Amino acid sequence: PMVEPTHEVQDLISNVSQQRVQEALARPSETGIPVVVCWLGGPGGGKTSSGIKIVASWLSEYPKIDVGVCRETHNSFETTTGRDFREMIPAAFYKPRGVWQSWDFKGGGSIIWLGLEAFSQRRGLRLGAALIDQAETLTEEQFDFVIERTRQDKPVKMPLQILVLANVPDTDDHWIYHRFNGEHPDFRMIFGGMRQRAFMFEHLPE
């Protein structure tokens, strides 16, 4: 029987994966479009919490940046990704605007909460960076919308970056496999740690 890793080991694996993701994001774009890194793994591997830390690092280093945090539907933030952000980022650092519309930070930047079920209504949106959580639930058209909207509208020197967090898709022909197949130099795939790799070896397409 497989021995369940301790919390300490799981945290170490997550930290190593996060470092690899940050290194992949930091490599300059080769084609002029945003660098898009997909962190693919099994559930419970710390992808979301690590993604929140990366978003916090963007806002710390580039205070005027607008970061889109994206999910399939807007009403899911309260019990999923948004809840995790509230647990990890102290409320003293931001001012919430509306019901999961945005968090405005003192430096001039913001987190924009973006449910993608009505993305066609947000064509004027401009993002400096983006985090997509549970990307396996999105359509490819929704994914492309986030790429199109990641084009800075402020005097921010940060390179355009998109972090895609995804559990292993249920189907072998999912768009994630086609878009992150190694052929495009700015679409980069990072696999999770040991526990997630064991999960993926059972679920990845042959």
Side-chain angles (χ1 to χ4, degrees), residues 45-139:
K47 295 187 297 298
T48 300
S49 59
S50 293
I52 293 170
K53 294 175 186 177
I54 290 172
V55 170
S57 72
W58 287 340
L59 286 160
S60 176
E61 189 170 356
Y62 303 95
K64 295 185 181 299
I65 196 170
D66 292 327
V67 180
V69 176
C70 313
R71 284 188 66 94
E72 180 185 21
T73 60
H74 196 270
N75 61 12
S76 63
F77 282 118
E78 180 68 32
T79 57
T80 55
T81 312
R83 175 199 61 203
D84 295 338
F85 266 83
R86 279 195 304 209
E87 289 176 355
M88 294 183 64
I89 298 182
F93 285 89
Y94 60 85
K95 179 181 179 181
R97 187 183 299 275
V99 180
W100 294 110
Q101 283 187 315
S102 68
W103 286 358
D104 298 336
F105 290 78
K106 295 178 180 178
S110 66
I111 289 176
I112 298 172
W113 304 101
L114 192 58
L116 295 171
E117 71 272 41
F119 67 91
S120 61
Q121 301 175 14
R122 305 296 298 272
R123 291 294 179 185
L125 185 66
R126 292 289 186 274
L127 303 171
L131 169 72
I132 303 175
D133 198 13
Q134 288 205 297
E136 75 279 1
T137 65
L138 303 185
T139 66

Side-chain angles (χ1 to χ4, degrees), residues 143-158:
F143 171 70
D144 283 332
F145 169 79
V146 178
I147 295 176
E148 293 168 2
R149 295 299 96 197
T150 306
R151 48 181 71 186
Q152 288 160 352
D153 196 16
K154 292 183 176 181
V156 179
K157 295 181 179 179
M158 175 180 166

Side-chain angles (χ1 to χ4, degrees), residues 150-170:
T150 306
R151 48 181 71 186
Q152 288 160 352
D153 196 16
K154 292 183 176 181
V156 179
K157 295 181 179 179
M158 175 180 166
L160 297 172
Q161 298 177 354
I162 299 173
L163 174 57
V164 178
L165 306 178
N167 293 324
V168 176
D170 293 332

